[in-house]
């Protein structure tokens, strides 16, 4: 379990870094969309390398996979496009604050209802309080600046 926590901590650290780097690339190129194309090209190469490293599994099943399972690609594109466009105008901290708030809310709903096959973890009053404290903590970091 510790390894999973560390992997996700690293992913969490990477999100604001990604936002700042891609926002700056978008400004440098003069087009947030161009920065996103570059980011996804690099990400595609990295994903292919990882895929090849862990041992190729069949991709042919994707044609029969439920189509709603492919929406993750649209969501990641929306995130990258939106953060690349918004961060230079709104600030990386403010942009990530609202991303985190959205993550807290959607994660709670997904867990509570077991959406998309997720393990059910009911939203108890204590869990809702914890999520509220987390959200308040992130908010405080933004108003204190």
């Amino acid at each position: 379990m510790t390894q999973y926590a560390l992997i996700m901590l690293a992913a969490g650290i990477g999100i604001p870094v990604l936002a700042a780097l891609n926002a700056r690339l978008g400004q440098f190129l003069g087009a947030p969309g161009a920065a996103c194309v570059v980011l996804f090209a690099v990400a595609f190469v990295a994903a292919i390398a990882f895929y090849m490293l862990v041992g190729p599994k069949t991709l042919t099943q994707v044609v029969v996979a439920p189509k709603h399972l492919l929406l993750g690609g649209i969501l990641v594109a929306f995130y990258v496009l939106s953060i690349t466009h918004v961060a230079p105008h709104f600030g990386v901290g403010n942009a990530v604050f609202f991303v985190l708030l959205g993550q807290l809310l959607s994660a709670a709903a997904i867990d509570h209802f077991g959406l998309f096959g997720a393990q059910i973890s009911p939203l108890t009053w204590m869990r809702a309080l914890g999520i509220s404290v987390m959200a308040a903590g992130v908010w405080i970091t933004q108003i204190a600046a």
Side-chain angles (χ1 to χ4, degrees):
M1 289 302 222
T2 302
Q3 68 194 23
Y4 296 140
L6 291 174
I7 290 169
M8 295 319 299
L9 179 63
I13 290 168
I15 289 173
V17 173
L18 175 153
L21 292 173
N22 222 48
R24 182 65 190 113
L25 182 60
Q27 288 179 314
F28 181 81
L29 297 176
C36 292
V37 169
V38 171
L39 178 131
F40 281 112
V42 172
F44 182 72
V45 170
I48 291 292
F50 178 78
Y51 175 75
M52 298 308 286
L53 183 69
V54 298
K57 309 272 188 293
T58 181
L59 283 175
T60 59
Q61 290 299 316
V62 77
V63 296
V64 295
K67 298 308 174 222
H68 72 278
L69 298 179
L70 304 178
L71 290 175
I74 303 239
L75 292 171
V76 76
F78 174 72
Y79 168 74
V80 171
L81 286 163
S82 62
I83 199 84
T84 301
H85 175 70
V86 170
H89 308 287
F90 196 46
V92 172
N94 286 330
V96 171
F97 164 74
F98 283 100
V99 168
L100 289 172
L101 184 59
Q103 287 176 327
L104 289 171
L105 296 172
S106 66
I110 289 167
D111 286 352
H112 181 76
F113 296 108
L115 301 174
F116 316 115
Q119 179 179 345
I120 293 176
S121 181
L123 183 61
T124 63
W125 284 107
M126 187 59 76
R127 192 159 179 241
L129 176 63
I131 291 168
S132 298
V133 168
M134 288 174 65
V138 175
W139 179 70
I140 288 169
T141 67
Q142 293 309 298
I143 62 167

